[in-house]
């Protein structure tokens, strides 16, 4: 279920990204306004969520491939899921400061 949810969230992001990029041809001023909103702490936290969704979707996709194409995959799918979750948590912890540094500096100072 989480794989599907993250896939839908990533699709939604890509749809919005294409729309806001296309806005530059319609009105460069409106595009600049939209891009300025992307520099807010709320959007920065949403970017961290996007990183989380993409990373989980990618790692879990590798697990799904292993379950489908490895003869022992179905037998070890639970262990592989927990491995994916563990790797995801470690990588998300490592991405915390690099992704959220702007927001952390904005809220708490440098």
């Amino acid at each position: 279920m989480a794989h599907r949810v993250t896939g839908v969230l990533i699709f939604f992001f890509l749809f919005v990204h294409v729309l806001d990029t296309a806005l530059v041809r319609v009105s460069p001023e409106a595009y600049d306004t939209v891009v300025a909103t992307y520099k807010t702490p709320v959007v920065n936290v949403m970017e961290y969520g996007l990183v989380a969704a993409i990373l989980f979707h990618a790692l879990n996709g590798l697990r799904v491939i292993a379950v489908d194409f490895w003869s022992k995959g179905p037998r070890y799918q639970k262990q592989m899921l927990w491995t994916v979750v563990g790797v995801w948590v470690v990588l998300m912890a490592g991405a915390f400061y690099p992704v959220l540094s702007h927001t952390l500096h904005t809220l708490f100072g440098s």
Side-chain angles (χ1 to χ4, degrees), residues 7-22:
V8 169
L9 291 173
I10 294 165
F11 175 79
F12 176 72
F13 163 76
L14 290 173
F15 180 72
V16 170
H17 179 63
V18 168
L19 288 178
D20 73 5
T21 303

Side-chain angles (χ1 to χ4, degrees), residues 40-47 103:
T40 64
V42 172
V43 174
N44 190 225
V45 171
M46 290 171 62
E47 288 173 341
T103 295

Side-chain angles (χ1 to χ4, degrees), residues 6-81:
T6 56
V8 169
L9 291 173
I10 294 165
F11 175 79
F12 176 72
F13 163 76
L14 290 173
F15 180 72
V16 170
H17 179 63
V18 168
L19 288 178
D20 73 5
T21 303
L23 189 60
V24 77
R25 295 183 55 87
V26 177
S27 171
E29 295 81 19
Y31 174 78
D32 291 339
T33 303
V34 169
V35 169
T37 63
Y38 292 163
K39 297 176 183 175
T40 64
V42 172
V43 174
N44 190 225
V45 171
M46 290 171 62
E47 288 173 341
Y48 186 69
L50 176 65
V51 170
I54 291 171
L55 188 58
F56 180 82
H57 194 77
L59 292 171
N60 193 55
L62 293 173
R63 183 190 69 85
V64 169
I65 290 170
V67 168
D68 287 347
F69 292 106
W70 182 34
S71 63
K72 295 181 182 180
R75 184 179 313 147
Y76 294 110
Q77 66 177 317
K78 190 179 225 182
Q79 293 89 335
M80 288 189 292
L81 175 62

